[in-house]
């Protein structure tokens, strides 16, 4: 989706290191979401934010943190507490909750 | 807890065949249901969204139906083409409308 930019496309993490995944949108959407996808699995919700300066935990929030200081940006930090971080991470946005979600192209995180 | 199941997990068909992908969900109290397409290593592209009050939606060769009372949705693809080869994901939004709950997907391969 051209209006959602995730970076980097590939990311490698060393043991004990925190890494931050970027998600930027120019769609003027209020709601933003982070999902994790493992091979052969559906997407699982990590965190979501309905408005600036507010966010809620999803089903698998342990070992992750987020911030929503600007409407356009919703970065995800994978902390050293996340023991199995290798996955494909997808950011999504929607005009507001319950509206269709639009997805970025994802970031693939691997362990060195 | 809402669970979404997609059958079959994989499907191979010759070009030109009409096909049906199935999605079932355990809690009928949904707000809407979305079908997505995912190409390898890419993000999700929204195909169709059906509101809980609707029975079906159509877009080109795609038709999605929703039977909320039985907890089922089907995605019908007419006259399949090799370019339709991808993984198709079904997701529901619960009444709280916080985020999508995904099935594991059906991987479709259309041979020429």
């Amino acid at each position: 989706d051209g209006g959602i930019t995730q970076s980097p496309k590939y990311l490698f993490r060393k043991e004990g290191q925190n890494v931050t995944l970027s998600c930027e949108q120019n769609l003027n959407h209020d709601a933003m979401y982070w999902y994790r996808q493992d091979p052969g699995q559906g997407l699982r919700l990590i965190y979501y934010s309905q408005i600036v300066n507010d966010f809620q935990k999803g089903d698998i929030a342990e070992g992750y943190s987020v911030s929503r200081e600007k409407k356009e940006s919703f970065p995800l930090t994978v902390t050293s507490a996340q023991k199995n971080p290798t996955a494909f991470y997808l950011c999504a946005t929607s005009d507001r909750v319950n509206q269709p979600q639009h997805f970025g192209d994802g970031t693939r995180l691997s362990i060195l | 807890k809402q669970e979404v199941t997609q059958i079959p997990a994989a499907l191979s068909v010759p070009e030109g065949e009409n096909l049906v992908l199935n999605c079932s969900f355990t809690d009928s109290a949904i707000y809407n249901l979305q079908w997505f397409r995912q190409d390898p290593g890419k993000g999700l592209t929204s195909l169709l969204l059906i509101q809980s009050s609707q029975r079906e939606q159509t877009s080109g060769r795609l038709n999605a139906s929703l039977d909320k009372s039985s907890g089922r949705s089907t995605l019908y693809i007419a006259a399949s083409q090799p370019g339709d080869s991808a993984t198709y994901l079904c997701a529901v939004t619960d009444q709280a409308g916080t985020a999508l709950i995904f099935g594991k997907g059906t991987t479709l391969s259309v041979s020429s």
Side-chain angles (χ1 to χ4, degrees):
Chain A
D1 199 320
I4 302 170
T5 302
Q6 288 190 243
S7 62
K9 189 174 178 65
Y10 299 97
L11 187 58
F12 298 90
R13 195 190 90 169
K14 296 179 181 179
E15 291 290 337
Q17 184 183 46
N18 294 350
V19 293
T20 298
L21 285 62
S22 171
C23 179
E24 302 279 334
Q25 56 110 349
N26 62 5
L27 301 172
N28 200 35
H29 285 173
D30 285 326
M32 298 187 73
Y33 311 81
W34 275 106
Y35 293 90
R36 168 181 172 141
Q37 187 177 32
D38 294 283
Q41 302 293 319
L43 280 68
R44 291 181 291 168
L45 181 66
I46 305 173
Y47 270 99
Y48 67 97
S49 168
Q50 298 185 31
I51 56 172
V52 174
N53 292 322
D54 181 71
F55 49 83
Q56 304 294 329
K57 292 182 178 180
D59 296 327
I60 55 167
E62 185 175 351
Y64 300 97
S65 65
V66 294
S67 63
R68 187 86 185 276
E69 298 176 359
K70 299 185 300 182
K71 188 175 186 177
E72 302 78 19
S73 179
F74 191 40
L76 173 74
T77 297
V78 184
T79 74
S80 57
Q82 172 51 245
K83 298 306 179 186
N84 185 23
T86 298
F88 190 47
Y89 291 86
L90 287 157
C91 175
T93 73
S94 63
D95 188 18
R96 56 187 185 278
V97 170
N98 286 334
Q99 295 304 301
Q101 293 188 19
H102 305 267
F103 284 77
D105 285 339
T107 292
R108 189 166 300 279
L109 175 62
S110 302
I111 295 295
L112 282 178
Chain B
K1 182 182 177 183
Q2 179 74 269
E3 292 183 2
V4 179
T5 303
Q6 291 187 245
I7 295 173
L11 183 62
S12 293
V13 300
E15 182 176 6
E17 193 163 300
N18 301 327
L19 56 99
V20 174
L21 307 182
N22 296 294
C23 172
S24 62
F25 45 95
T26 54
D27 186 347
S28 62
I30 64 169
Y31 191 87
N32 59 42
L33 183 145
Q34 254 182 290
W35 282 94
F36 294 91
R37 169 187 172 136
Q38 185 176 32
D39 292 293
K42 298 291 187 180
L44 276 64
T45 301
S46 180
L47 298 174
L48 291 164
L49 180 143
I50 310 176
Q51 300 291 351
S52 62
S53 59
Q54 297 176 321
R55 288 282 186 169
E56 66 178 332
Q57 283 286 339
T58 298
S59 176
R61 295 183 293 108
L62 304 180
N63 175 276
S65 67
L66 174 65
D67 184 342
K68 202 172 70 166
S69 61
S70 67
R72 294 181 182 178
S73 176
T74 60
L75 179 66
Y76 176 82
I77 303 177
S80 58
Q81 304 171 357
D84 294 331
S85 298
T87 296
Y88 291 81
L89 293 161
C90 167
V92 300
T93 304
D94 60 22
Q95 289 289 345
T98 51
L100 293 166
I101 302 164
F102 283 84
K104 294 181 180 180
T106 293
T107 299
L108 173 66
S109 176
V110 181
S111 56
S112 57

